[in-house]
Amino acid sequence: QLQQARVAMEGGCDVNCGSFYMQTLPDAIEKGVVSMDDLDQATGRLFTQAFDLGMMDFPGPVYNTYGPDKVDSPYHRELAQSAAEQGIVLLKNNKNLLPLDASKISSL
């Protein structure tokens, strides 16, 4: 688990929405698996984003006032549809490899 914490931190995963970092980072830092520099960089990125989003402003971030009319408009739906369409990947099924047999694959 300590190595997983290192890989996640080095990979730019600055936020953990569960308890994994709370359970592993103190030990990983103490044993030198994760450096304080890595933690400082991750924390710096988090605080930079928090300030940029206005999360540290009084009375609070502006985006808290956004309702469905600002984020669920026809324009935004069209933009989401376009992004989804552009992200589609079609695979050629050469040699009938698809669908993959999960029992024969250990990792991707």
Side-chain angles (χ1 to χ4, degrees):
Q1 285 189 334
L2 301 183
Q3 292 299 327
Q4 292 169 342
R6 179 188 58 77
V7 170
M9 293 286 294
E10 288 177 356
C13 183
D14 300 333
V15 177
N16 172 238
C17 294
S19 59
F20 181 72
Y21 279 171
M22 293 284 287
Q23 294 171 355
T24 58
L25 279 180
D27 199 25
I29 290 169
E30 183 179 313
K31 293 183 177 177
V33 176
V34 173
S35 72
M36 283 302 293
D37 285 341
D38 292 334
L39 185 60
D40 288 344
Q41 287 179 3
T43 307
R45 287 189 295 261
L46 285 173
F47 277 112
T48 298
Q49 291 302 311
F51 279 102
D52 287 350
L53 290 171
M55 296 173 77
M56 304 300 185
D57 296 345
F58 181 80
V62 176
Y63 64 82
N64 282 350
T65 63
Y66 288 178
D69 59 315
K70 294 216 181 197
V71 296
D72 190 22
S73 67
Y75 168 77
H76 290 116
R77 286 179 179 242
E78 185 179 321
L79 183 63
Q81 180 70 36
S82 176
E85 289 171 358
Q86 291 178 41
I88 292 172
V89 176
L90 297 177
L91 301 174
K92 289 184 179 179
N93 195 11
N94 292 341
K95 301 179 185 176
N96 293 320
L97 295 173
L98 300 174
L100 299 175
D101 184 350
S103 67
K104 296 180 181 177
I105 299 172
S106 60
S107 68
L108 291 177

